[in-house]
Amino acid sequence: MSRLNPANVTLAHEIISHYPKKKSALIPLLHLAQEQDGYVADDAMEHIAELVEVTPAEVLGTCSFYEMFKRHPVGTYMINVCTNIACQLMGGEELLHHAEETLGIRPGGTTDDGLFTLEDVECIAACTEAPCLQVNYRHEYRLSTDDFDALVADLRSGKRSDIPAHGTLGTVRQHIPADRRAGIRHPDDEGTPAWFASRQPAES
Amino acid sequence: MSTHTNDYVPHAPGYVDNEGPKVVTSRFPYEDSFTMERSLATGGYEGLKAALAKSPAEVAQEVKDAVVLGRGGAGFPAGIKWGFMPNIWPRYLVVNGDESEPGTYKDRLLMERDPHQLIEGCMIACYALGLNQCFLYVRGEMPLAHERIATALNDAYAAGYVGKNVMDTDVSIDIVLHWGAGAYIVGEETALIESLEGNRGQPRLKPPYFPAAKGLYYQPTIVNNVETLANLPWLMVNGAEAYKQMGSEASPGTRMLAVSGHVKRPGVYEVEQGVVSFRELFYDDNFCGGIRDDNELKMFIPGGGSAPWFFEDQLDVPMEGRTVGAAGSMLGSGALVVMDETTDAVKACLRVVRFFARESCGKCTPCREGTSWEEKVLQRILDGHGRPEDIDLLLEIGSNISPGTYPVAAFGDEGLEAVPFPPKQTTICPLGPSSVAPITSAIRRFRDEFEAKIDASSDDAAEPVGAAAGGH
């Protein structure tokens, strides 16, 4: 769809300023693009390439490696069902099959109304609460098939306003005030920090 | 002071507040454990204050004396790792919060429920190592951890615990929250660094072997796990001697252990290392309270998907890296997956192998090709199209990724004396070899189950393997 909007360009420059090298901001900026559009658009990747001063091919190279970056629009709600070992033991695969039947799609597919995308995912770090899933990366725990149906009904009727749109990660961002920054050290910027040198015992 | 806006979100559940000393989970019983107010009311940043009163060398020595073992998987002493850093600046700290080993559920709890403790631990490490900058790499699929850490960092910067002139001293250290985007392999140190440089998260060719010498931007870099760093505030306040009062001599302190699968009370427990045995953890009422429905235990994974399986025979092994290693597996990331008698060994094996096939980064041929063939052959056996030679085929593919006898507990003494764990590998990193662990474990111990499935296979067993397996 689009390049980063002006507000996100400002944000992008702030994110880039956290790193000794601009390219380190690449993944956070891809998340920013995905937050803006719900997926990572080609134009956004070109824009990011300009911002971090690499080629668009390098941005695509990084983007295509990571599972979370979607290069095409997905449903409003992405439902990621875990079927890894801890969840499998507690019915994760049965939960996935139920989700397939209920939504009428296979993993990777999106419902015709554009509301749901289903994914069969690996361990999402909630193993004691199996079987579990995430909706736009928000966890739901110990789900029965009835729980799943209730969740889908709530999502359809808009009752889950706590779940932001796909692409939004943390709703709080780190901001480092200019007067509070220690200051980044570029790899070429040699020299021991003064505070460290002065606090080390003198070598005999 | 606090700017948190996210307290409507329920805590990551699963923590069980059992008896015993608590180092990293002491604030977990509080609903507001993640806030600056609660942190400060319960001794937050006292460890940093204590550290700043010492010289950086004294702080590093304290960590070395306490034998703080890495909690990420390899169990290497953090103090020794820190000592590998040459006197070259700038140098960086990268915090590995990319928790994604199957069965592992502890770092997310620490990040969501006590982010200030982690930040304090990072500051102590940075101070000891003379670092200006720390990158906190958090797994992308954990937005609540991001929110909690971002809020905590914003508060800590405002209150002067992080940033310029920490606690009114001349010490200045930045912590930057960085987020991943979904790739298990990024948990490998050099892949994590590649990812932090904005690249595909593929492990680097070795040498150089240690990021401590050449890491982020090829500068000296320490990569530490979240739980490892979360130990430091307590250590600074209470000292190495007190730390060593807990746990065993070789493995002092506590560990967070996530027990999942077929137990009556799955949960995350903080326990003293090397003191509690697997049997106590699974069966005692203080912990998991037994196997579900009082079924028989069939097998268990003692340290995440990469670990060779354990069985009834290993129940009395004390839980610490050394003893578990000697018994033929690893405590890894503290992820225990318990499987009862109803579990299909082939199916469980396939699921763990499938994980590695999906997460292989594709850089090394033995892993890229081998793991997917392992998956396809296992799928074919499970689907009723297995061939008699498939069992040997699986072992052969495994030995192309990880040559030699694989020392799993399932082998008994004969396997254990052959080679030490970890096994040899034909790959850059241990991901491929990890896929061999469940295969050798399952075939060695439950060969009859594989054979029964193959014997029952239909006549169309000649179907090409690719067609049987489908794909993903």
Side-chain angles (χ1 to χ4, degrees), chain A residues 123-159:
Chain A
C123 189
I124 50 178
C127 311
T128 65
E129 311 306 307
C132 57
L133 59 77
Q134 292 185 316
V135 182
N136 291 350
Y137 300 106
R138 270 64 185 171
H139 282 90
E140 299 285 331
Y141 306 105
R142 299 194 190 205
L143 282 96
S144 65
T145 51
D146 286 346
D147 294 334
F148 182 86
D149 294 343
L151 172 68
V152 168
D154 282 350
L155 291 168
R156 280 193 198 283
S157 60
K159 281 185 190 156

mmCIF file of all heavy atoms in Angstrom, chain A residues 123-159:
data_model
loop_
_atom_site.group_PDB
_atom_site.id
_atom_site.type_symbol
_atom_site.label_atom_id
_atom_site.label_comp_id
_atom_site.label_asym_id
_atom_site.label_seq_id
_atom_site.Cartn_x
_atom_site.Cartn_y
_atom_site.Cartn_z
ATOM 1 N N CYS A 123 5.795 -23.155 19.438
ATOM 2 C CA CYS A 123 5.682 -22.812 20.864
ATOM 3 C C CYS A 123 5.603 -21.302 21.117
ATOM 4 O O CYS A 123 6.449 -20.534 20.679
ATOM 5 C CB CYS A 123 6.876 -23.389 21.604
ATOM 6 S SG CYS A 123 6.751 -23.281 23.393
ATOM 7 N N ILE A 124 4.545 -20.877 21.843
ATOM 8 C CA ILE A 124 4.364 -19.458 22.133
ATOM 9 C C ILE A 124 4.552 -19.157 23.620
ATOM 10 O O ILE A 124 4.021 -18.171 24.142
ATOM 11 C CB ILE A 124 2.994 -18.938 21.620
ATOM 12 C CG1 ILE A 124 1.846 -19.843 22.084
ATOM 13 C CG2 ILE A 124 3.003 -18.826 20.111
ATOM 14 C CD1 ILE A 124 0.463 -19.344 21.657
ATOM 15 N N ALA A 125 5.334 -19.979 24.301
ATOM 16 C CA ALA A 125 5.734 -19.724 25.687
ATOM 17 C C ALA A 125 4.546 -19.549 26.627
ATOM 18 O O ALA A 125 4.394 -18.519 27.288
ATOM 19 C CB ALA A 125 6.680 -18.526 25.760
ATOM 20 N N ALA A 126 3.694 -20.551 26.666
ATOM 21 C CA ALA A 126 2.616 -20.585 27.648
ATOM 22 C C ALA A 126 2.330 -22.060 27.933
ATOM 23 O O ALA A 126 1.182 -22.467 28.079
ATOM 24 C CB ALA A 126 1.386 -19.873 27.131
ATOM 25 N N CYS A 127 3.405 -22.865 27.982
ATOM 26 C CA CYS A 127 3.299 -24.323 27.918
ATOM 27 C C CYS A 127 2.517 -24.941 29.066
ATOM 28 O O CYS A 127 1.938 -26.009 28.916
ATOM 29 C CB CYS A 127 4.692 -24.922 27.846
ATOM 30 S SG CYS A 127 5.688 -24.112 26.592
ATOM 31 N N THR A 128 2.519 -24.290 30.219
ATOM 32 C CA THR A 128 1.784 -24.854 31.351
ATOM 33 C C THR A 128 0.291 -24.577 31.211
ATOM 34 O O THR A 128 -0.505 -25.108 31.968
ATOM 35 C CB THR A 128 2.276 -24.245 32.673
ATOM 36 O OG1 THR A 128 1.963 -22.845 32.688
ATOM 37 C CG2 THR A 128 3.785 -24.416 32.824
ATOM 38 N N GLU A 129 -0.076 -23.725 30.248
ATOM 39 C CA GLU A 129 -1.472 -23.308 30.060
ATOM 40 C C GLU A 129 -2.024 -23.862 28.753
ATOM 41 O O GLU A 129 -2.826 -23.216 28.075
ATOM 42 C CB GLU A 129 -1.575 -21.779 30.081
ATOM 43 C CG GLU A 129 -0.873 -21.123 31.259
ATOM 44 C CD GLU A 129 -1.317 -21.694 32.591
ATOM 45 O OE1 GLU A 129 -2.529 -21.723 32.846
ATOM 46 O OE2 GLU A 129 -0.443 -22.128 33.379
ATOM 47 N N ALA A 130 -1.577 -25.044 28.388
ATOM 48 C CA ALA A 130 -1.955 -25.648 27.113
ATOM 49 C C ALA A 130 -3.374 -26.218 27.165
ATOM 50 O O ALA A 130 -3.822 -26.625 28.241
ATOM 51 C CB ALA A 130 -0.973 -26.757 26.773
ATOM 52 N N PRO A 131 -4.068 -26.294 26.014
ATOM 53 C CA PRO A 131 -3.634 -25.717 24.744
ATOM 54 C C PRO A 131 -3.911 -24.207 24.700
ATOM 55 O O PRO A 131 -4.871 -23.734 25.288
ATOM 56 C CB PRO A 131 -4.499 -26.451 23.717
ATOM 57 C CG PRO A 131 -5.736 -26.809 24.443
ATOM 58 C CD PRO A 131 -5.341 -27.026 25.885
ATOM 59 N N CYS A 132 -3.044 -23.507 23.986
ATOM 60 C CA CYS A 132 -3.169 -22.056 23.974
ATOM 61 C C CYS A 132 -3.104 -21.529 22.537
ATOM 62 O O CYS A 132 -2.722 -22.240 21.617
ATOM 63 C CB CYS A 132 -2.082 -21.419 24.827
ATOM 64 S SG CYS A 132 -0.416 -21.853 24.347
ATOM 65 N N LEU A 133 -3.486 -20.299 22.394
ATOM 66 C CA LEU A 133 -3.402 -19.649 21.080
ATOM 67 C C LEU A 133 -3.186 -18.159 21.305
ATOM 68 O O LEU A 133 -3.262 -17.666 22.432
ATOM 69 C CB LEU A 133 -4.661 -19.914 20.243
ATOM 70 C CG LEU A 133 -6.041 -19.484 20.767
ATOM 71 C CD1 LEU A 133 -6.273 -17.983 20.623
ATOM 72 C CD2 LEU A 133 -7.129 -20.228 20.006
ATOM 73 N N GLN A 134 -2.902 -17.460 20.223
ATOM 74 C CA GLN A 134 -2.807 -16.010 20.279
ATOM 75 C C GLN A 134 -3.734 -15.400 19.243
ATOM 76 O O GLN A 134 -3.880 -15.939 18.144
ATOM 77 C CB GLN A 134 -1.372 -15.536 19.978
ATOM 78 C CG GLN A 134 -0.356 -15.898 21.051
ATOM 79 C CD GLN A 134 1.022 -15.308 20.751
ATOM 80 O OE1 GLN A 134 1.487 -15.355 19.624
ATOM 81 N NE2 GLN A 134 1.668 -14.754 21.766
ATOM 82 N N VAL A 135 -4.360 -14.282 19.610
ATOM 83 C CA VAL A 135 -5.124 -13.482 18.645
ATOM 84 C C VAL A 135 -4.353 -12.182 18.491
ATOM 85 O O VAL A 135 -4.200 -11.432 19.452
ATOM 86 C CB VAL A 135 -6.546 -13.198 19.143
ATOM 87 C CG1 VAL A 135 -7.312 -12.412 18.077
ATOM 88 C CG2 VAL A 135 -7.271 -14.492 19.478
ATOM 89 N N ASN A 136 -3.867 -11.929 17.296
ATOM 90 C CA ASN A 136 -2.976 -10.787 17.070
ATOM 91 C C ASN A 136 -1.892 -10.727 18.159
ATOM 92 O O ASN A 136 -1.592 -9.665 18.709
ATOM 93 C CB ASN A 136 -3.758 -9.473 17.000
ATOM 94 C CG ASN A 136 -4.609 -9.404 15.746
ATOM 95 O OD1 ASN A 136 -4.484 -10.237 14.849
ATOM 96 N ND2 ASN A 136 -5.485 -8.417 15.672
ATOM 97 N N TYR A 137 -1.380 -11.874 18.492
ATOM 98 C CA TYR A 137 -0.289 -12.062 19.455
ATOM 99 C C TYR A 137 -0.690 -11.815 20.904
ATOM 100 O O TYR A 137 0.167 -11.704 21.774
ATOM 101 C CB TYR A 137 0.953 -11.250 19.066
ATOM 102 C CG TYR A 137 1.457 -11.665 17.693
ATOM 103 C CD1 TYR A 137 1.282 -10.859 16.580
ATOM 104 C CD2 TYR A 137 2.032 -12.914 17.523
ATOM 105 C CE1 TYR A 137 1.684 -11.270 15.326
ATOM 106 C CE2 TYR A 137 2.440 -13.338 16.273
ATOM 107 C CZ TYR A 137 2.276 -12.511 15.177
ATOM 108 O OH TYR A 137 2.676 -12.937 13.936
ATOM 109 N N ARG A 138 -1.995 -11.750 21.193
ATOM 110 C CA ARG A 138 -2.450 -11.717 22.587
ATOM 111 C C ARG A 138 -2.852 -13.129 22.977
ATOM 112 O O ARG A 138 -3.668 -13.759 22.293
ATOM 113 C CB ARG A 138 -3.621 -10.753 22.756
ATOM 114 C CG ARG A 138 -3.224 -9.323 23.080
ATOM 115 C CD ARG A 138 -2.454 -8.668 21.977
ATOM 116 N NE ARG A 138 -1.971 -7.325 22.336
ATOM 117 C CZ ARG A 138 -1.127 -6.615 21.593
ATOM 118 N NH1 ARG A 138 -0.649 -7.103 20.458
ATOM 119 N NH2 ARG A 138 -0.740 -5.417 21.972
ATOM 120 N N HIS A 139 -2.325 -13.600 24.112
ATOM 121 C CA HIS A 139 -2.528 -14.997 24.514
ATOM 122 C C HIS A 139 -3.946 -15.286 25.016
ATOM 123 O O HIS A 139 -4.554 -14.464 25.685
ATOM 124 C CB HIS A 139 -1.567 -15.358 25.656
ATOM 125 C CG HIS A 139 -0.155 -15.618 25.219
ATOM 126 N ND1 HIS A 139 0.782 -14.620 25.157
ATOM 127 C CD2 HIS A 139 0.481 -16.753 24.830
ATOM 128 C CE1 HIS A 139 1.945 -15.134 24.744
ATOM 129 N NE2 HIS A 139 1.793 -16.423 24.539
ATOM 130 N N GLU A 140 -4.411 -16.486 24.704
ATOM 131 C CA GLU A 140 -5.595 -17.076 25.329
ATOM 132 C C GLU A 140 -5.176 -18.455 25.809
ATOM 133 O O GLU A 140 -4.465 -19.168 25.101
ATOM 134 C CB GLU A 140 -6.745 -17.212 24.315
ATOM 135 C CG GLU A 140 -7.217 -15.894 23.712
ATOM 136 C CD GLU A 140 -8.059 -15.067 24.677
ATOM 137 O OE1 GLU A 140 -8.732 -15.656 25.546
ATOM 138 O OE2 GLU A 140 -8.022 -13.820 24.567
ATOM 139 N N TYR A 141 -5.613 -18.840 27.005
ATOM 140 C CA TYR A 141 -5.070 -20.041 27.636
ATOM 141 C C TYR A 141 -6.107 -21.138 27.852
ATOM 142 O O TYR A 141 -7.279 -20.861 28.059
ATOM 143 C CB TYR A 141 -4.472 -19.676 28.992
ATOM 144 C CG TYR A 141 -3.459 -18.556 28.939
ATOM 145 C CD1 TYR A 141 -3.782 -17.282 29.386
ATOM 146 C CD2 TYR A 141 -2.173 -18.776 28.447
ATOM 147 C CE1 TYR A 141 -2.855 -16.254 29.356
ATOM 148 C CE2 TYR A 141 -1.242 -17.741 28.407
ATOM 149 C CZ TYR A 141 -1.580 -16.488 28.861
ATOM 150 O OH TYR A 141 -0.667 -15.471 28.822
ATOM 151 N N ARG A 142 -5.606 -22.364 27.882
ATOM 152 C CA ARG A 142 -6.396 -23.555 28.242
ATOM 153 C C ARG A 142 -7.768 -23.555 27.582
ATOM 154 O O ARG A 142 -8.799 -23.548 28.254
ATOM 155 C CB ARG A 142 -6.546 -23.651 29.767
ATOM 156 C CG ARG A 142 -5.211 -23.791 30.467
ATOM 157 C CD ARG A 142 -5.405 -24.236 31.910
ATOM 158 N NE ARG A 142 -4.124 -24.146 32.634
ATOM 159 C CZ ARG A 142 -3.824 -24.862 33.698
ATOM 160 N NH1 ARG A 142 -4.685 -25.716 34.191
ATOM 161 N NH2 ARG A 142 -2.654 -24.736 34.285
ATOM 162 N N LEU A 143 -7.764 -23.563 26.256
ATOM 163 C CA LEU A 143 -9.024 -23.455 25.537
ATOM 164 C C LEU A 143 -9.651 -24.806 25.218
ATOM 165 O O LEU A 143 -8.984 -25.691 24.671
ATOM 166 C CB LEU A 143 -8.821 -22.711 24.210
ATOM 167 C CG LEU A 143 -8.703 -21.196 24.327
ATOM 168 C CD1 LEU A 143 -7.230 -20.832 24.363
ATOM 169 C CD2 LEU A 143 -9.403 -20.528 23.173
ATOM 170 N N SER A 144 -10.930 -24.929 25.533
ATOM 171 C CA SER A 144 -11.730 -26.047 25.034
ATOM 172 C C SER A 144 -12.292 -25.596 23.684
ATOM 173 O O SER A 144 -12.172 -24.423 23.316
ATOM 174 C CB SER A 144 -12.872 -26.352 26.006
ATOM 175 O OG SER A 144 -13.750 -25.238 26.044
ATOM 176 N N THR A 145 -12.920 -26.528 22.984
ATOM 177 C CA THR A 145 -13.516 -26.121 21.704
ATOM 178 C C THR A 145 -14.651 -25.122 21.949
ATOM 179 O O THR A 145 -14.859 -24.207 21.152
ATOM 180 C CB THR A 145 -14.041 -27.349 20.923
ATOM 181 O OG1 THR A 145 -14.862 -28.120 21.795
ATOM 182 C CG2 THR A 145 -12.887 -28.201 20.425
ATOM 183 N N ASP A 146 -15.370 -25.278 23.061
ATOM 184 C CA ASP A 146 -16.428 -24.304 23.401
ATOM 185 C C ASP A 146 -15.829 -22.922 23.669
ATOM 186 O O ASP A 146 -16.391 -21.902 23.261
ATOM 187 C CB ASP A 146 -17.214 -24.766 24.639
ATOM 188 C CG ASP A 146 -18.152 -25.927 24.321
ATOM 189 O OD1 ASP A 146 -18.377 -26.189 23.116
ATOM 190 O OD2 ASP A 146 -18.638 -26.568 25.267
ATOM 191 N N ASP A 147 -14.681 -22.918 24.365
ATOM 192 C CA ASP A 147 -14.007 -21.642 24.620
ATOM 193 C C ASP A 147 -13.641 -20.971 23.299
ATOM 194 O O ASP A 147 -13.744 -19.751 23.148
ATOM 195 C CB ASP A 147 -12.714 -21.848 25.423
ATOM 196 C CG ASP A 147 -12.974 -22.346 26.829
ATOM 197 O OD1 ASP A 147 -14.078 -22.074 27.350
ATOM 198 O OD2 ASP A 147 -12.091 -23.001 27.405
ATOM 199 N N PHE A 148 -13.190 -21.793 22.345
ATOM 200 C CA PHE A 148 -12.807 -21.244 21.047
ATOM 201 C C PHE A 148 -14.011 -20.597 20.364
ATOM 202 O O PHE A 148 -13.919 -19.480 19.845
ATOM 203 C CB PHE A 148 -12.206 -22.333 20.152
ATOM 204 C CG PHE A 148 -11.741 -21.804 18.820
ATOM 205 C CD1 PHE A 148 -10.469 -21.261 18.683
ATOM 206 C CD2 PHE A 148 -12.585 -21.822 17.711
ATOM 207 C CE1 PHE A 148 -10.049 -20.748 17.458
ATOM 208 C CE2 PHE A 148 -12.173 -21.315 16.494
ATOM 209 C CZ PHE A 148 -10.902 -20.778 16.365
ATOM 210 N N ASP A 149 -15.147 -21.305 20.401
ATOM 211 C CA ASP A 149 -16.358 -20.761 19.770
ATOM 212 C C ASP A 149 -16.778 -19.450 20.431
ATOM 213 O O ASP A 149 -17.189 -18.505 19.752
ATOM 214 C CB ASP A 149 -17.497 -21.781 19.854
ATOM 215 C CG ASP A 149 -17.214 -23.026 19.025
ATOM 216 O OD1 ASP A 149 -16.314 -22.959 18.156
ATOM 217 O OD2 ASP A 149 -17.870 -24.064 19.245
ATOM 218 N N ALA A 150 -16.664 -19.407 21.749
ATOM 219 C CA ALA A 150 -17.029 -18.184 22.479
ATOM 220 C C ALA A 150 -16.089 -17.043 22.102
ATOM 221 O O ALA A 150 -16.519 -15.901 21.921
ATOM 222 C CB ALA A 150 -16.982 -18.446 23.980
ATOM 223 N N LEU A 151 -14.801 -17.386 21.963
ATOM 224 C CA LEU A 151 -13.813 -16.370 21.577
ATOM 225 C C LEU A 151 -14.139 -15.794 20.196
ATOM 226 O O LEU A 151 -14.152 -14.574 20.000
ATOM 227 C CB LEU A 151 -12.408 -16.997 21.582
ATOM 228 C CG LEU A 151 -11.269 -16.146 21.023
ATOM 229 C CD1 LEU A 151 -11.000 -14.952 21.925
ATOM 230 C CD2 LEU A 151 -9.997 -16.992 20.875
ATOM 231 N N VAL A 152 -14.444 -16.697 19.258
ATOM 232 C CA VAL A 152 -14.760 -16.251 17.898
ATOM 233 C C VAL A 152 -16.021 -15.385 17.900
ATOM 234 O O VAL A 152 -16.077 -14.345 17.239
ATOM 235 C CB VAL A 152 -14.917 -17.470 16.955
ATOM 236 C CG1 VAL A 152 -15.538 -17.060 15.631
ATOM 237 C CG2 VAL A 152 -13.547 -18.114 16.715
ATOM 238 N N ALA A 153 -17.012 -15.793 18.699
ATOM 239 C CA ALA A 153 -18.253 -15.007 18.788
ATOM 240 C C ALA A 153 -17.958 -13.612 19.343
ATOM 241 O O ALA A 153 -18.472 -12.607 18.830
ATOM 242 C CB ALA A 153 -19.268 -15.730 19.671
ATOM 243 N N ASP A 154 -17.126 -13.550 20.362
ATOM 244 C CA ASP A 154 -16.762 -12.252 20.956
ATOM 245 C C ASP A 154 -16.023 -11.381 19.943
ATOM 246 O O ASP A 154 -16.242 -10.170 19.865
ATOM 247 C CB ASP A 154 -15.879 -12.448 22.191
ATOM 248 C CG ASP A 154 -16.685 -12.864 23.415
ATOM 249 O OD1 ASP A 154 -17.932 -12.812 23.332
ATOM 250 O OD2 ASP A 154 -16.074 -13.237 24.435
ATOM 251 N N LEU A 155 -15.134 -11.998 19.191
ATOM 252 C CA LEU A 155 -14.377 -11.234 18.196
ATOM 253 C C LEU A 155 -15.302 -10.714 17.095
ATOM 254 O O LEU A 155 -15.207 -9.561 16.682
ATOM 255 C CB LEU A 155 -13.263 -12.102 17.590
ATOM 256 C CG LEU A 155 -12.100 -12.461 18.523
ATOM 257 C CD1 LEU A 155 -11.223 -13.545 17.905
ATOM 258 C CD2 LEU A 155 -11.254 -11.230 18.845
ATOM 259 N N ARG A 156 -16.225 -11.565 16.675
ATOM 260 C CA ARG A 156 -17.175 -11.156 15.626
ATOM 261 C C ARG A 156 -18.051 -9.989 16.086
ATOM 262 O O ARG A 156 -18.361 -9.091 15.311
ATOM 263 C CB ARG A 156 -18.094 -12.331 15.256
ATOM 264 C CG ARG A 156 -17.489 -13.339 14.312
ATOM 265 C CD ARG A 156 -18.585 -14.269 13.765
ATOM 266 N NE ARG A 156 -18.032 -15.480 13.194
ATOM 267 C CZ ARG A 156 -17.452 -15.546 11.990
ATOM 268 N NH1 ARG A 156 -17.364 -14.459 11.249
ATOM 269 N NH2 ARG A 156 -16.974 -16.695 11.545
ATOM 270 N N SER A 157 -18.432 -10.025 17.349
ATOM 271 C CA SER A 157 -19.349 -8.984 17.838
ATOM 272 C C SER A 157 -18.595 -7.784 18.403
ATOM 273 O O SER A 157 -19.196 -6.899 19.012
ATOM 274 C CB SER A 157 -20.292 -9.572 18.892
ATOM 275 O OG SER A 157 -19.531 -10.077 19.973
ATOM 276 N N GLY A 158 -17.287 -7.762 18.212
ATOM 277 C CA GLY A 158 -16.513 -6.587 18.598
ATOM 278 C C GLY A 158 -16.344 -6.418 20.097
ATOM 279 O O GLY A 158 -16.091 -5.322 20.591
ATOM 280 N N LYS A 159 -16.484 -7.505 20.849
ATOM 281 C CA LYS A 159 -16.381 -7.384 22.306
ATOM 282 C C LYS A 159 -14.943 -7.381 22.815
ATOM 283 O O LYS A 159 -14.700 -7.190 24.001
ATOM 284 C CB LYS A 159 -17.138 -8.544 22.975
ATOM 285 C CG LYS A 159 -18.634 -8.340 23.023
ATOM 286 C CD LYS A 159 -19.296 -9.475 23.803
ATOM 287 C CE LYS A 159 -20.815 -9.424 23.641
ATOM 288 N NZ LYS A 159 -21.426 -10.723 23.864
#
